[in-house]
Structures are given as structure tokens and as C-alpha cells.
């Protein structure tokens, strides 16, 4: 394991717009995240959570300050270099699942590998394995309309895992699910974190879901207002059977 923290935001600001209409969404955020942590990002609407997640996910760059990911200064990277970093190290899960509608679970999960130019056989095998790891073996040929919300989110998680990311970024992953389904998804994320070493960063406004995290970072008005360890995370079950090759790759150089 690298001695460096996996993620460091240093005095990060983000301003949208210019002049009189400029809005400072982040006002100086310092945040250090070690590989293997499970962080819930909370805070009221408009406090900067999504902006911070976009930053952490290398989708956006700071107006000022630094973002160091595994020793690499993300703020100095080109758009293409950031895309490469995303493709190799980060997986994304969204509230609305964001699956292609008339496309099977298998094909949805294969998509990131298609973008990477992986050959057909390798895509098939990896997608099947990822779907099995989220409890969806046998559902490969179903389209999203034939799956429940909880199953759709599992497909989305499999799609995020298929590239074997070091970090999973989840933006309100249970926001569209009932309590039971939400708990199942949280148990799955918990298992990926504790059993397979995948670092999880999750935005949520639900305290019950944040209770699964090992650490809770609370945003207010564009800054980190509190940052606390959760001594007793709610996760109990061991998660999916993701192969050990999916363990965090944070120690590898970029
Ligand atoms: P949260 O996720 O906590 O609800 P956001 O990060 O979405 O907060 O937003 C923080 C602030 O930045 C809000 O005042 C929001 O209106 C503003 N904001 C977010 N994205 C943009 C954008 N693309 N352009 C202009 N303002 C934005």
C-alpha cells in the first residue's frame, strides 16, 4: 500500500460564472482520503456536495487549489488525461441508474470495456463475472425495463466494477429505492469496501445510509463543516463475490 493518501483536496475552490453572477460553490475544501475508506458526503442542498463529487471524480477541475490523486496533480492534467484516469481508476454510480434502456444488463455492463477497446470475449467474461458479483447471475439478458429498481442499481454497480476501479463514486445511490432495496445496495457497497478494498465515496442525504460509511464528511455552504469517524458502521453482511483482482489498485503508479 502506498504511503501517500489516495486522495487529497487542498484549499479547493470552485466558482461558477463570472463577474456579478459568479457563484462560489466550494470555498476552500481540504480533504484527505486514504485507500480503503468508505466516506459518506452529506449536507444541505446547495452546500457543494455534487461539485465536490465532480471534482473527486475528475469530471471537473478546481478554480484554485490542488487535487492530488495517488500522487498525481489532477488540476494539471488535460481533459484526455483526466478521462484516462477516470477510465482506469474510478467507477461511477448514480441515483437514476443511467442504464441504456433497450440494452441488456450484459451489454450495459460491457460498455466501459467497449470504450476501452477490449476484445469481445474478454468483455463477455468480465461482464458476467461483475453481474454475478452483484447477485445477478442469470439476469444477463434482461433489459432495464424487466428489472426492479434495486436490480437496475445492481447492474449499474456491476458496470462501475467491471473496469476494476480503485474508487467507487456513488451519488445518492439509494435515492430512488425503497428502504429494503436501499439496505441491500448499502450492504453490497459495504462488502465491496471491506472484502475487496474498494474505496467508496458516496453522497447521501439519508442518515440511515450514511450509517454504513466509516466516515461522514458534512458540507455546509461550500466548506467541510465536520468530518467524523463512524465507530460502528451499519454494514454486516459480506458483499458480492468480486474476484480479489478487483481489490484497490491504489498502490500502482498511474
Ligand atoms: P449540492 O450537491 O450540495 O446540492 P451543488 O454542488 O450542486 O450542491 O451546488 C453548490 C452551489 O453551486 C449551488 O448554489 C448551485 O446552485 C451552484 N452550482 C452548481 N452547479 C452549477 C453550475 N454548473 N453553474 C452554476 N452554478 C452551479
Amino acid at each position: 500500500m502506498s504511503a501517500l493518501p489516495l486522495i487529497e483536496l487542498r484549499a479547493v475552490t470552485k466558482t461558477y460564472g463570472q463577474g456579478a453572477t459568479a457563484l462560489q460553490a466550494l470555498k476552500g475544501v481540504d480533504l484527505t482520503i486514504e485507500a480503503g475508506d468508505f466516506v459518506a458526503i452529506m449536507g444541505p442542498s446547495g452546500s457543494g456536495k455534487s461539485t465536490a463529487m465532480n471534482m473527486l471524480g475528475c469530471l471537473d477541475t478546481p478554480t484554485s487549489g490542488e487535487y492530488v490523486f495517488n500522487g498525481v496533480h489532477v488540476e494539471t492534467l488535460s481533459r484526455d488525461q483526466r478521462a484516462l484516469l477516470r477510465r482506469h481508476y474510478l467507477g461511477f454510480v448514480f441515483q437514476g441508474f443511467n442504464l441504456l434502456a433497450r440494452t441488456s444488463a450484459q451489454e450495459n455492463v460491457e460498455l466501459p470495456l467497449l470504450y476501452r477497446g477490449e476484445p469481445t470475449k474478454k468483455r463477455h467474461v468480465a461482464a458476467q463475472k461483475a453481474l454475478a458479483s452483484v447477485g445477478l447471475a442469470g439476469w444477463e439478458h434482461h433489459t432495464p425495463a424487466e428489472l426492479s429498481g434495486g436490480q437496475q442499481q445492481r447492474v449499474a454497480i456491476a458496470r462501475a466494477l467491471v473496469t476494476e476501479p480503485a474508487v467507487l463514486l456513488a451519488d445518492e445511490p439509494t435515492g430512488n429505492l425503497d428502504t429494503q432495496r436501499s439496505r441491500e445496495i448499502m450492504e453490497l457497497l459495504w462488502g465491496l469496501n471491506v472484502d475487496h478494498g474498494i474505496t467508496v465515496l458516496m453522497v447521501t442525504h439519508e442518515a440511515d445510509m450514511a450509517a454504513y460509511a466509516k466516515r461522514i464528511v458534512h458540507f455546509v455552504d461550500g466548506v467541510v463543516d465536520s468530518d467524523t469517524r463512524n465507530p460502528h458502521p451499519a454494514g454486516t453482511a459480506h458483499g458480492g463475490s468480486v474476484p480479489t483482482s478487483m481489490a484497490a489498485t491504489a498502490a500502482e503508479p498511474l
Side-chain angles (χ1 to χ4, degrees), residues 13-234:
T13 72
K14 181 69 189 180
T15 304
Y16 292 112
Q18 289 181 334
T21 59
L23 191 142
Q24 201 173 22
L26 297 180
K27 298 176 178 171
V29 171
D30 294 294
L31 188 63
T32 301
I33 298 171
E34 306 289 341
D37 212 346
F38 187 151
V39 182
I41 296 176
M42 302 192 79
S45 179
S47 59
K49 304 183 297 296
S50 303
T51 304
M53 280 294 264
N54 285 345
M55 210 71 75
L56 292 166
C58 302
L59 294 160
D60 206 350
T61 47
T63 304
S64 68
E66 299 172 292
Y67 174 15
V68 188
F69 182 90
N70 202 29
V72 171
H73 276 265
V74 178
E75 77 279 0
T76 66
L77 300 181
S78 69
R79 185 180 285 261
D80 286 350
Q81 287 171 318
R82 278 190 281 125
L84 206 62
L85 193 152
R86 278 200 303 277
R87 226 173 286 154
H88 282 92
Y89 289 88
L90 309 179
F92 294 87
V93 177
F94 306 94
Q95 178 175 358
F97 320 137
N98 293 14
L99 300 173
L100 294 181
R102 279 178 289 279
T103 307
S104 70
Q106 170 85 20
E107 289 166 319
N108 267 288
V109 175
E110 282 186 27
L111 216 54
L113 299 178
L114 192 68
Y115 292 145
R116 257 202 203 173
E118 302 286 0
T120 313
K121 176 78 179 157
K122 191 172 172 187
R123 292 201 311 266
H124 284 350
V125 171
Q128 267 179 358
K129 204 185 269 185
L131 280 166
S133 78
V134 299
L136 286 179
W139 294 85
E140 292 86 354
H141 302 295
H142 292 253
T143 61
E146 297 165 344
L147 299 170
S148 70
Q151 287 174 318
Q152 289 181 55
Q153 193 57 304
R154 283 171 186 274
V155 175
I157 292 171
R159 181 183 55 190
L161 291 176
V162 78
T163 56
E164 303 183 8
V167 183
L168 197 63
L169 294 107
D171 196 351
E172 303 217 25
T174 63
N176 282 352
L177 302 175
D178 64 33
T179 306
Q180 177 56 27
R181 247 40 70 186
S182 294
R183 292 198 178 287
E184 289 169 12
I185 292 296
M186 291 313 303
E187 289 287 352
L188 178 57
L189 295 181
W190 170 255
L192 294 171
N193 177 254
V194 297
D195 296 340
H196 305 287
I198 296 175
T199 305
V200 180
L201 311 180
M202 171 186 75
V203 168
T204 184
H205 62 266
E206 295 170 90
D208 287 357
M209 304 308 142
Y212 283 81
K214 295 173 178 170
R215 175 181 176 191
I216 299 175
V217 173
H218 195 259
F219 277 74
V220 172
D221 199 19
V223 295
V224 174
D225 174 57
S226 69
D227 185 348
T228 50
R229 285 265 147 214
N230 178 6
H232 304 294

